[in-house]
């Protein structure tokens, strides 16, 4: 099976399709929501989406089989090698009728549906191809239910275990398919299953709950029913610094924090939802009440902007957490391709452990991974620019993907 293409998740050389699919869902949503603000960058965004979508078409080529991952993560993580040199097992893991993976398959369906909408104006034939495949993959995910944690086993866990269960991905996938196709069976699926969700304030590669409510808020014939708008309002109240139901914390410098590593994945994803919901609130002429605080769309937009500004350098350290942006940014990021010398500079093969000397070096990485956003600072606003501090110094695709939409929105007057 030809599985060329796609993206590595972070600083390693493994294609984890579950977080990759979320990355593609967010890139697709960025274009659907903010494509008209991207100017000349729209073509670059579409090229990035096509690269991922083509890969997922390959991953779902055979009926009732979905490729879940490419590369043995344990062997890969034991080596510090360039992608050009990797000689660790490129094991392909898959889910099937007998070994289901509903969260993985439904997230791929969501990614394909969102990508379909992104290409609707510029390439209708490709858009239709993606939508048809999204429907097929969703049907497979829904018909053969089960977690890819069990089917993929050590390939998925402990790296990208699905903790929240697969129902949120099924609802998320159905919501995107209804938005893309307007077929009532997907609307009915969302309405029938929304009550199964908890954790209304979570959104990321694992948990889609908050994203579902914000996405559905825009969908005609769906948003006004059940609990979607009230749930989205509760989510907004969970983020506002002065809200009595706040479930996040903020550093002294103003950065949003949630428990766990690689914190900027939460900051970018939740800020993206703030902007999308603020736009809905503007069109609906509504506000959100959180105790004694009444938040209008501008309140949400200003909060999201404060997060974007912090990431780009408006913080106590004056540090941009986007590599290559600004005068001060991380120089020793946890990323193999950035750390190791290029093939042009070092054409000889670098074996598994031969890369350790570059990992341990105190010198800045020789290759600047321009545009990558790293995991970010600690809650006291400190930052350790060290390859050893994976949670702070490793960039991931799912940090960057929501940031694409945020930057498109806040740079709408400067992008030409």
């Amino acid at each position: 099976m030809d599985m060329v293409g796609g993206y590595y998740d972070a600083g390693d050389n493994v294609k984890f399709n579950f977080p990759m699919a979320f990355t593609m869902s967010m890139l697709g949503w960025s274009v659907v929501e903010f494509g008209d603000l991207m100017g000349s960058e729209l073509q670059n965004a579409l090229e990035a989406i096509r690269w991922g979508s083509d890969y997922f078409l390959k991953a779902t080529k055979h009926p009732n089989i979905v490729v879940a991952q490419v590369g043995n993560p344990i062997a890969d993580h034991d080596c510090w090698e360039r992608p050009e040199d990797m000689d660790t097992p490129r094991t392909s893991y898959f889910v099937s009728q007998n070994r289901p993976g509903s969260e993985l398959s439904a997230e791929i369906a969501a990614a394909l549906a969102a990508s379909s909408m992104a290409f609707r104006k510029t390439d209708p034939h490709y858009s239709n191809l993606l939508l048809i495949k999204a429907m097929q993959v969703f049907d497979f995910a829904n018909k053969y239910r089960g977690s890819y944690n069990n089917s993929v086993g050590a390939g998925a866990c402990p790296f990208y275990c699905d903790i929240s269960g697969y129902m949120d991905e099924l609802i998320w996938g159905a919501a995107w398919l209804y938005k893309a196709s307007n077929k009532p069976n997907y609307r009915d699926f969302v309405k029938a299953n929304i009550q199964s969700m908890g954790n209304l304030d979570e959104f990321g590669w694992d948990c889609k709950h908050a994203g579902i409510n914000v996405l559905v808020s825009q969908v005609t014939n769906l948003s006004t029913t059940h609990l979607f708008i009230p749930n989205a309002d509760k989510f907004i109240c969970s983020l506002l610094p002065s809200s009595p139901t706040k479930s996040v914390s903020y550093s002294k410098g103003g950065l949003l924090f949630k428990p766990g590593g690689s914190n900027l994945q939460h900051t970018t994803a939740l800020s993206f939802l703030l902007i999308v919901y603020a736009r809905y609130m503007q069109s609906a002429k509504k506000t959100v009440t959180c105790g004694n605080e009444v938040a209008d769309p501008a309140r949400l937009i200003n909060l999201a902007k404060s997060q974007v500004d912090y990431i780009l350098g408006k913080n106590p350290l004056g540090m941009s957490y986007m590599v290559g942006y600004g005068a001060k940014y991380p120089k020793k990021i946890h990323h193999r391709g950035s750390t190791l010398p290029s093939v042009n500079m070092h054409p000889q093969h670098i074996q598994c452990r031969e890369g350790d000397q570059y990992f341990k070096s105190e010198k800045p990485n020789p290759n600047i991974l321009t545009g990558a956003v790293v995991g970010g600072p600690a809650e006291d606003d400190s930052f350790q620019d060290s390859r050893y501090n994976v949670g702070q110094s490793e960039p991931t695709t799912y940090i960057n993907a929501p940031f694409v939409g945020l930057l498109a929105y806040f740079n709408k007057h400067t992008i030409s």
Side-chain angles (χ1 to χ4, degrees):
M1 183 181 292
D2 173 16
M3 289 307 301
V4 172
Y7 297 98
Y8 304 134
D9 67 306
D12 54 21
N13 299 324
V14 182
K15 300 176 188 178
F16 293 100
N17 289 3
F18 187 33
M20 190 199 305
F22 175 70
T23 295
M24 300 313 302
S25 296
M26 295 308 297
L27 279 178
W29 198 358
S30 292
V31 169
V32 171
E33 188 74 24
F34 305 112
D36 60 333
L37 306 177
M38 291 182 176
S40 60
E41 290 298 317
L42 175 60
Q43 185 58 39
N44 291 328
L46 290 174
E47 287 178 7
I49 294 171
R50 189 184 290 269
W51 183 256
S53 296
D54 284 350
Y55 172 82
F56 281 127
L57 288 175
K58 294 178 182 181
T60 57
K61 180 178 180 180
H62 300 286
N64 296 330
I65 292 178
V66 174
V67 176
Q69 186 173 311
V70 177
N72 182 307
I74 297 174
D76 178 88
H77 288 181
D78 191 47
C79 293
W80 197 258
E81 286 184 304
R82 296 178 298 200
E84 296 91 341
D85 291 334
M86 59 181 172
D87 45 20
T88 54
R90 302 306 291 168
T91 309
S92 291
Y93 303 80
F94 65 91
V95 298
S96 63
Q97 294 166 275
N98 298 322
R99 298 166 58 87
S102 296
E103 64 277 87
L104 165 78
S105 304
E107 185 63 54
I108 292 176
L112 291 170
S115 299
S116 168
M117 294 191 69
F119 281 101
R120 185 165 290 170
K121 294 180 181 178
T122 59
D123 193 339
H125 174 76
Y126 186 62
S127 171
N128 189 56
L129 176 68
L130 296 177
L131 182 56
I132 291 172
K133 179 59 69 173
M135 294 176 181
Q136 294 170 350
V137 176
F138 177 82
D139 288 344
F140 165 70
N142 187 36
K143 184 175 181 181
Y144 303 105
R145 292 191 181 186
S147 175
Y148 98 128
N149 291 353
N150 302 319
S151 300
V152 177
C157 294
F159 309 99
Y160 288 101
C161 303
D162 177 30
I163 305 301
S164 66
Y166 57 74
M167 277 309 303
D168 57 321
E169 277 80 27
L170 285 172
I171 299 169
W172 170 249
W176 269 109
L177 280 165
Y178 181 60
K179 187 175 177 71
S181 71
N182 206 34
K183 290 184 178 294
N185 57 306
Y186 298 115
R187 175 199 63 204
D188 295 342
F189 184 94
V190 174
K191 291 170 62 176
N193 291 281
I194 191 64
Q195 297 284 2
S196 67
M197 293 201 312
N199 294 326
L200 300 177
D201 56 351
E202 297 290 338
F203 185 59
W205 61 261
D206 176 26
C207 190
K208 309 304 182 307
H209 298 68
I212 292 167
N213 288 306
V214 172
L215 176 66
V216 169
S217 70
Q218 306 172 306
V219 180
T220 307
N221 298 327
L222 190 51
S223 63
T224 56
T225 61
H226 288 269
L227 301 173
F228 300 109
I229 299 300
N231 283 347
D233 288 352
K234 291 177 183 177
F235 161 69
I236 296 302
C237 291
S238 77
L239 300 182
L240 297 181
S242 56
S243 169
T245 56
K246 180 185 68 172
S247 65
V248 299
S249 60
Y250 288 87
S251 69
K252 288 184 178 179
L255 184 65
L256 180 153
F257 273 85
K258 289 183 74 71
S262 193
N263 181 67
L264 290 187
Q265 66 176 306
H266 305 302
T267 308
T268 60
L270 299 179
S271 295
F272 181 97
L273 296 185
L274 281 171
I275 296 298
V276 173
Y277 200 61
R279 284 158 63 97
Y280 159 73
M281 290 168 60
Q282 287 174 330
S283 64
K285 296 180 173 56
K286 71 171 279 165
T287 58
V288 175
T289 301
C290 309
N292 294 326
E293 179 176 5
V294 178
D296 60 9
R299 179 76 179 89
L300 277 61
I301 293 168
N302 288 335
L303 177 56
K305 186 176 185 300
S306 72
Q307 302 306 298
V308 172
D309 289 344
Y310 186 109
I311 292 170
L312 295 180
K314 192 175 181 180
N315 56 63
L317 296 181
M319 167 78 77
S320 165
Y321 293 103
M322 175 180 279
V323 177
Y325 180 83
K328 183 180 179 182
Y329 55 85
K331 303 292 179 63
K332 302 173 188 175
I333 68 172
H334 184 97
H335 187 279
R336 287 158 176 76
S338 175
T339 302
L340 294 156
S342 68
V343 174
N344 288 337
M345 297 299 294
H346 190 292
Q348 296 82 13
H349 182 87
I350 299 175
Q351 297 183 21
C352 175
R353 304 308 318 184
E354 290 180 341
D356 291 1
Q357 60 179 309
Y358 301 102
F359 178 88
K360 296 174 182 177
S361 170
E362 290 299 318
K363 297 179 180 179
N365 291 2
N367 309 308
I368 300 175
L369 195 64
T370 303
V373 181
V374 298
E379 200 161 356
D380 63 358
D381 296 305
S382 66
F383 178 74
Q384 185 180 15
D385 191 4
S386 168
R387 302 176 196 100
Y388 291 93
N389 194 326
V390 180
Q392 291 192 356
S393 71
E394 187 173 28
T396 73
T397 57
Y398 45 86
I399 295 175
N400 267 79
F403 210 51
V404 170
L406 286 165
L407 293 178
Y409 179 81
F410 286 117
N411 286 275
K412 59 184 177 179
H413 298 301
T414 58
I415 293 178
S416 59

